[in-house]
Amino acid sequence: MPRLVIVSPCYNEEAILAYSARELTSLLERLIAAGKILPTSHVLYVNDGSRDRTWELIEELHRENHFIDGLCLAGNVGHQSAIMAGMMTARDFADAVVTIDADLQDDLGALEEMIDRYLEGYDIVYGVKVSRTADPLLKRTSALAFYRLQSAMGIRAIYNHADFRLMSRRALDALACYPERNLYLRGIIPQLGYASTTVDDVISERVAGESKYTLRKMLLLAVDGITSFTTRPISWIIGMGLLC
């Protein structure tokens, strides 16, 4: 049985934390009772420089619930870096790490299936969105357009996958060797080369609060994702310059 750590980045999530902790605790208890994970498994909330009471609530939850731990970053470093910080902290004492956003829009049933795939021998299990009807139209349309653009540029990535995934310790050790600072984990992780598979992820409505991924943040992430893995945009610019 593996020791599982669920890494959950948080930015101004005070409205959802109590619900999130309750649901993840219930999931861990169910998996422990089924003999799929060790009783020392837990949740690691990563406070990404929140401006509300997020960190205070994480501290309260930690005192009341032995399944809850917290990591407080010095400032707001961004979603990708917060996930990376959580995974690199957890890899020292976890056999497997699952990353999931604190709003729990991702399918917790898929998380349980990820554990099953890990027990079958897979080092990386991706949650792939099979339904995005719960997402706003703009987010859904822009995300699908970006995935197609990545594919057209030859970037190796998992279609319709965000950051809901399981990674084994050895996969995390390999990820730790990458020196990138402008992180785009959705492009780096498929390059690791370990045995991987996917599970279906049905997105649900947010229970409370609102998404912190603004259009600006999505565009910046898209730019990082494209410029970090392909030189085609530079080639296109040179070609258009010569043509002009």
Side-chain angles (χ1 to χ4, degrees):
M1 290 186 294
R3 184 182 187 188
L4 174 69
V5 176
I6 300 174
V7 171
S8 187
C10 307
Y11 178 66
N12 295 345
E13 295 289 6
E14 65 176 359
I16 197 89
L17 265 177
Y19 166 80
S20 175
R22 186 169 61 250
E23 292 296 310
L24 291 177
T25 296
S26 176
L27 174 66
L28 289 175
E29 290 174 338
R30 194 161 64 246
L31 291 172
I32 291 168
K36 293 183 178 181
I37 61 174
L38 289 174
T40 51
S41 301
H42 62 273
V43 180
L44 178 63
Y45 284 116
V46 182
N47 178 40
D48 184 21
S50 298
R51 299 178 181 178
D52 61 4
R53 294 185 63 250
T54 293
W55 180 244
E56 294 174 38
L57 291 175
I58 292 172
E59 289 182 311
E60 289 176 13
L61 288 166
H62 172 69
R63 287 192 293 268
E64 299 166 359
N65 186 340
H66 70 277
F67 283 117
I68 305 298
D69 279 340
L71 173 67
C72 191
L73 304 182
N76 180 230
V77 298
H79 185 255
Q80 297 289 286
S81 294
I83 290 175
M84 187 69 166
M87 291 193 299
M88 292 302 101
T89 299
R91 77 185 176 106
D92 292 332
F93 47 83
D95 299 304
V97 169
V98 170
T99 53
I100 185 171
D101 289 340
D103 57 23
L104 298 189
Q105 286 189 269
D106 292 298
D107 187 356
L108 291 185
L111 193 156
E112 187 168 353
E113 192 177 347
M114 286 178 175
I115 300 299
D116 293 335
R117 301 291 84 77
Y118 169 82
L119 294 173
E120 290 172 5
Y122 290 99
D123 286 287
I124 305 172
V125 186
Y126 302 99
V128 174
K129 296 177 173 63
V130 293
S131 172
R132 302 189 66 138
T133 54
D135 282 339
L137 178 61
L138 177 60
K139 182 178 180 180
R140 185 165 67 245
T141 304
S142 59
L144 293 175
F146 175 59
Y147 291 131
R148 292 192 180 98
L149 179 61
Q150 280 188 127
S151 179
M153 290 190 172
I155 299 172
R156 184 181 174 187
I158 307 300
Y159 185 78
N160 232 356
H161 161 72
D163 291 294
F164 178 40
R165 69 179 73 85
L166 176 147
M167 296 182 69
S168 68
R169 180 185 291 175
R170 68 172 184 168
L172 289 170
D173 288 341
L175 178 62
C177 296
Y178 279 70
E180 275 77 7
R181 290 298 175 265
N182 293 326
L183 283 171
Y184 184 66
L185 294 170
R186 303 171 200 182
I188 296 174
I189 292 172
Q191 297 185 32
L192 298 179
Y194 290 106
S196 64
T197 188
T198 63
V199 297
D200 291 345
D201 179 22
V202 179
I203 300 300
S204 58
E205 297 279 355
R206 244 183 179 267
V207 173
E210 58 185 21
S211 174
K212 309 307 182 298
Y213 245 115
T214 62
L215 179 60
R216 177 178 176 275
K217 288 183 178 180
M218 287 191 290
L219 289 174
L220 290 174
L221 181 64
V223 170
D224 280 342
I226 291 171
T227 57
S228 298
F229 294 93
T230 180
T231 58
R232 286 190 186 181
I234 297 174
S235 301
W236 292 349
I237 291 169
I238 292 172
M240 286 188 290
L242 291 172
L243 182 62
C244 288

